[in-house]
Amino acid sequence: DPQWRAQAINACDVAILCLPDAAARQAVASVKHPAVRIIDASSAHRTDAGWTYGFPEMEPAQSARIATAFRVSNPGCYPTGAIALLRPLVAWGLVPADHPITVHAVSGYSGRGREGVEAHEGPGAADAPAFQVYGLGLSHKHTPEIQAHAGLTQRPVFVPAYGAFRQGIVLTIALHGRLLPDGTDAGRLRDCLQSHYAGAPLIEVLSRAQSDTLDHLDPQALNGSDRLRLAVFANPRENQILLAAVFDNLGKGASGAAVQNLDLMLGRH
């Protein structure tokens, strides 16, 4: 009931909205109490200039902005990984802002929400697909969010998929070294990420030695945590580089991020 919802929100210190986009906009419009602060978990306000983007590690001053904000838009799960990888590299001039970026990501089926969970855990679970690529119209709603907050001047191609596991994400971005500025290699990209996230306890950037020991990435490796793991892989002979992020779509990719933002807004960090 919109009236009861409005009454409840206006009585809050902080309200976290877990609603479809249209309902989230309606809920925000109902706020009349000037002291009410909102964290919106929908995608309704993620590119709205009047809202603070709720990715504390995005840049040095972002935590302070979130701490004092009245309107915080919680990041999407896929954009969390893409922006974490791209924004520092674009800001440092190592990846041009107009670089032709393609983002591939595979999430657990909980990323579909209730519909995905029911499809894989309900009565018809035996018929649920093991893997499916979607968003084939290349118009996924996360794409403008990735472009805006990664600092890209050209729209990236975003190709999402779901696997037959409940939660977890592997997101990758392939780069051609010949299209990067002279002298840019995997080592410089890794150094940039390590420097940017040096003071971020929830974000880990693998060293070259750690990356070299891996021959696969497990999307479920960080399930049950709020951590985000970034890595850079390379084939120097072919001048090709792969950026990768692994995290729990229900941790740093969603509810964990909302709790992190709530803690900042309540002065608990």
Side-chain angles (χ1 to χ4, degrees):
D1 185 312
Q3 289 184 326
W4 282 104
R5 182 172 63 199
Q7 181 178 331
I9 293 174
N10 279 279
C12 286
D13 295 314
V14 184
I16 300 179
L17 306 181
C18 300
L19 299 167
D21 289 5
R25 294 187 185 97
Q26 181 186 50
V28 171
S30 74
V31 177
K32 307 301 180 186
H33 195 306
V36 174
R37 306 171 76 188
I38 294 177
I39 299 172
D40 183 8
S42 81
S43 60
H45 300 99
R46 290 178 185 158
T47 59
D48 189 321
W51 286 64
T52 299
Y53 193 60
F55 189 174
E57 300 89 354
M58 186 170 74
E59 57 182 47
Q62 199 66 13
S63 289
R65 294 189 186 105
I66 294 167
T68 59
F70 277 78
R71 299 289 183 269
V72 173
S73 184
N74 212 56
C77 55
Y78 292 129
T80 294
I83 294 163
L85 289 167
L86 290 170
R87 188 180 177 99
L89 304 180
V90 172
W92 284 39
L94 299 177
V95 172
D98 63 351
H99 193 83
I101 295 290
T102 298
V103 179
H104 293 267
V106 182
S107 171
Y109 57 77
S110 61
R112 291 178 60 194
R114 184 176 299 144
E115 179 185 357
V117 173
E118 290 178 352
H120 285 267
E121 299 179 8
D127 298 322
F131 182 84
Q132 54 185 322
V133 176
Y134 66 104
L136 301 183
L138 303 181
S139 58
H140 194 285
K141 66 180 182 179
H142 285 342
T143 309
E145 180 183 352
I146 294 171
Q147 179 180 349
H149 297 294
L152 301 173
T153 59
Q154 300 296 317
R155 181 183 175 93
V157 175
F158 176 48
V159 185
Y162 290 126
F165 53 95
R166 195 175 203 277
Q167 61 200 83
I169 287 179
V170 165
L171 179 146
T172 57
I173 302 169
L175 302 174
H176 292 277
R178 61 184 172 80
L179 300 179
L180 302 178
D182 290 345
T184 302
D185 58 12
R188 289 194 66 192
L189 299 180
R190 187 181 297 109
D191 289 345
C192 170
L193 293 174
Q194 288 177 333
S195 176
H196 184 84
Y197 296 112
L202 296 180
I203 300 183
E204 170 193 9
V205 181
L206 296 187
S207 67
R208 177 177 177 177
Q210 290 172 313
S211 299
D212 285 349
T213 64
L214 298 177
D215 59 8
H216 70 279
L217 292 171
D218 179 2
Q220 303 178 83
L222 296 181
N223 280 3
S225 80
D226 292 330
R227 293 161 53 214
L228 171 63
R229 179 176 295 155
L230 308 179
V232 181
F233 304 94
N235 181 338
R237 184 178 63 186
E238 303 296 341
N239 202 12
Q240 295 175 333
I241 298 169
L242 185 69
L243 310 176
V246 175
F247 55 109
D248 186 348
N249 60 292
L250 301 181
K252 184 62 172 167
S255 60
V259 173
Q260 186 180 5
N261 287 323
L262 180 63
D263 281 343
L264 287 168
M265 295 169 76
L266 296 178
R268 296 173 61 182
H269 271 209

